[in-house]
Amino acid sequence: MANIVVVGAQWGDEGKGKLVDLLTERADVVVRFQGGNNAGHTLVVDGDKTVLHLIPSGVLHAGKTCVIGNGVVIDPEILLGEIDKLRVRGFLNQPDQLRISDRAHVIMPWNKAVDGLREDRATGTKIGTTRRGIGPTYEHKVRRNGIRMADLVDPTTFAELVDLELPDANAHIEALGGKKLKKADILKTYGACAKRLASFVIDTTRLLHDAAARRERILFEGAQGTLLDVDHGTYPYVTSSNAVAGGACTGAGMGPTFIDAVLGISKAYTTRVGEGPFPTELNDAFGEQLRKAGGEFGATTGRPRRCGWLDMVVLRHAVRVNGLTSIALTKLDVLSGLGSIKVCTAYRLDDQILDTVPAARGALNRVDPLYEELPGWSEDITKAKKWLDLPVAARAYVNRVEQLAGVPVSLVSVGPGRSQTIQLKDPAPGKRVHVEPRHEVLH
């Protein structure tokens, strides 16, 4: 396998964790390159469920190096809790298995306080933040007054930076109606975290370049999804980092010449958590059926996900802005039992037909999705092991998605387990490819 970036091609929750876990078998290093513990990647291996928020999904494989890159924002307490839970289960007990970038920014208590207070006060334009301090931490990063992991693990520097930043942070918190934070509490809690995390913190860009020089295979793991990207998503209802494939370069410190392929993960339908436009949303029995069948509740927040038909306008947008070389289609099994399945192929906005996602604020709320209807299937496909095990209608559906997207579907997931995945093509062929239709007659 070549070096490959795995990204979400919708609004997140597409099943990236499972695919990264699967692809890690052929990788040497797995890198998380953006986002924070607002992400939740769910893995099911041999019936055991694992939910990860910061540590790369490759951690369940022995002998792999897991890297948290500089583009990630880190809550030290959450990270340590995740480490402890994994160690109890026999993971992360190997030396050097986890490495954390010394340039990654730290989520401070004032970032979390401000995040929650802002959301409480918001009127009319609630973003639906997870209240974990992610956005405010990225704000401090861009304002150039953030605190990084290298600062956290140096007690003198950390104390000086808390002295410098806490007065303004407390003033902001009080202005929002919150209570001032105490320096002693911060130094005690974060100081204890720093002692435990110090051995993990290194210059990960050097580690990754050395791995590339040895021709080791690197897997870059994104969080959230393309439509939550701060530049290319449904702004302002987005996250605060670049969730597209280009974020792997800035968030890991690797140039684009190191990337051989980009795999976009898409559900066979569409979901979204939180606020914001969602053209194909189903607020009816079909939507509830998808939610129940797919277990559509947030891995991080537990919030019920909004559900709707597959939106190919969104997926084509993801193909373009990520430079996808192939797609992994997940949760195809959730569509079993539907008499017919709709796919959105375009939007109508006033008197225009659109085949791209409009950028103007409010425009996506006003579009009418234009649908193509395909036959459904009744068979249980969760035990399918190869392409021809799928019902004719399911294969036709995958073929149509591939045709409308303009890039191959390389993997199809028919259940949550690691083994419930059908490979159709190599997801990392090492070069950009175009769709080659499968020559078969579908009766």
Side-chain angles (χ1 to χ4, degrees):
M1 187 181 78
N3 296 339
I4 180 171
V5 180
V6 177
V7 294
Q10 297 166 305
W11 278 282
D13 307 308
E14 302 95 345
K16 294 180 292 297
K18 173 188 169 176
L19 272 299
V20 169
D21 170 65
L22 184 70
L23 293 170
T24 297
E25 293 179 358
R26 296 185 284 169
D28 301 295
V29 183
V30 185
V31 189
R32 169 77 181 276
F33 62 83
Q34 51 81 214
N37 58 295
N38 53 342
H41 292 171
T42 302
L43 317 177
V44 179
V45 181
D46 298 329
D48 291 330
K49 181 178 177 181
T50 302
V51 179
L52 301 171
H53 300 281
L54 284 166
I55 296 174
S57 300
V59 71
L60 302 188
H61 293 263
K64 310 296 182 179
T65 301
C66 292
V67 175
I68 299 177
N70 58 274
V72 179
V73 291
I74 298 172
D75 185 322
E77 293 182 283
I78 297 295
L79 177 56
L80 282 169
E82 200 164 304
I83 290 171
D84 290 341
K85 287 179 181 178
L86 286 165
R87 283 181 166 169
V88 166
R89 297 176 55 198
F91 300 110
L92 267 188
N93 291 320
Q94 302 172 54
D96 304 337
Q97 189 180 0
L98 177 64
R99 289 291 182 236
I100 303 168
S101 173
D102 51 8
R103 291 171 169 81
H105 280 250
V106 179
I107 298 174
M108 296 299 296
W110 52 78
N111 300 134
K112 291 186 280 188
V114 166
D115 200 8
L117 290 166
R118 280 179 178 169
E119 192 72 0
D120 288 338
R121 290 167 62 95
T123 56
T125 55
K126 282 184 179 288
I127 301 301
T129 171
T130 57
R131 300 169 179 262
R132 283 160 169 76
I134 311 298
T137 304
Y138 279 114
E139 288 178 35
H140 281 266
K141 175 180 179 176
V142 175
R143 287 173 55 196
R144 303 182 297 276
N145 64 341
I147 296 176
R148 305 195 292 182
M149 289 300 295
D151 306 317
L152 174 69
V153 299
D154 181 329
T156 302
T157 300
F158 184 69
E160 291 173 351
L161 289 172
V162 171
D163 273 336
L164 182 65
E165 301 299 334
L166 187 56
D168 282 348
N170 272 335
H172 192 185
I173 290 168
E174 286 188 302
L176 291 171
K179 295 181 179 180
K180 293 171 62 174
L181 301 173
K182 296 178 181 179
K183 174 186 172 183
D185 292 342
I186 296 171
L187 293 182
K188 180 180 179 180
T189 300
Y190 276 58
C193 292
K195 288 178 181 178
R196 293 190 59 197
L197 291 172
S199 63
F200 298 107
V201 178
I202 66 168
D203 181 350
T204 55
T205 59
R206 177 62 185 268
L207 179 154
L208 293 172
H209 280 262
D210 287 348
R214 295 190 297 269
R215 297 190 180 277
E216 294 183 2
R217 295 158 297 185
I218 303 172
L219 183 59
F220 300 88
E221 177 184 18
Q224 287 88 37
T226 298
L227 275 294
L228 293 177
D229 181 276
V230 68
D231 286 297
H232 300 288
T234 48
Y235 191 88
Y237 301 97
V238 294
T239 192
S240 301
S241 59
N242 285 116
V244 295
C249 298
T250 55
M254 302 286 284
T257 52
F258 286 93
I259 296 171
D260 299 302
V262 183
L263 175 65
I265 316 300
S266 171
K267 283 177 181 168
Y269 49 99
T270 307
T271 64
R272 178 167 196 167
V273 171
E275 305 298 325
F278 185 177
T280 65
E281 184 171 10
L282 293 169
N283 294 306
D284 57 15
F286 274 128
E288 187 59 30
Q289 182 175 340
L290 288 175
R291 183 178 298 110
K292 288 181 178 178
E296 296 297 353
F297 299 89
T300 296
T301 63
R303 289 182 293 181
R305 296 181 186 130
R306 300 155 63 191
C307 297
W309 299 119
L310 182 62
D311 189 332
M312 292 305 304
V313 182
V314 161
L315 192 49
R316 285 194 298 267
H317 176 75
V319 169
R320 287 191 295 271
V321 299
N322 289 291
L324 297 186
T325 50
S326 72
I327 292 167
L329 197 64
T330 63
K331 293 200 171 184
L332 185 65
D333 54 297
V334 175
L335 297 182
S336 295
L338 298 179
S340 63
I341 302 167
K342 291 183 179 181
V343 178
C344 172
T345 57
Y347 301 144
R348 178 181 286 110
L349 179 61
D350 301 327
D351 59 349
Q352 292 182 296
I353 302 298
L354 305 179
D355 63 358
T356 60
V357 178
R361 191 174 298 203
L364 199 58
N365 278 321
R366 296 191 294 112
V367 303
D368 292 318
L370 302 179
Y371 289 109
E372 179 177 309
E373 195 161 348
L374 300 171
W377 60 92
S378 59
E379 298 91 333
D380 177 4
I381 64 173
T382 57
K383 293 180 174 59
K385 299 296 183 185
K386 56 184 185 296
W387 174 246
L388 292 179
D389 290 342
L390 295 174
V392 169
R395 299 203 304 271
Y397 184 77
V398 174
N399 283 341
R400 185 57 177 151
V401 171
E402 185 176 77
Q403 184 181 40
L404 290 168
V407 293
V409 173
S410 58
L411 298 160
V412 175
S413 174
V414 294
R418 182 186 285 172
S419 63
Q420 293 176 290
T421 309
I422 301 170
Q423 180 170 325
L424 308 181
K425 298 176 184 290
D426 185 349
K431 63 179 180 179
R432 190 165 177 88
V433 295
H434 295 283
V435 173
E436 295 178 5
R438 297 184 186 88
H439 297 290
E440 59 174 321
V441 177
L442 299 178
H443 297 289

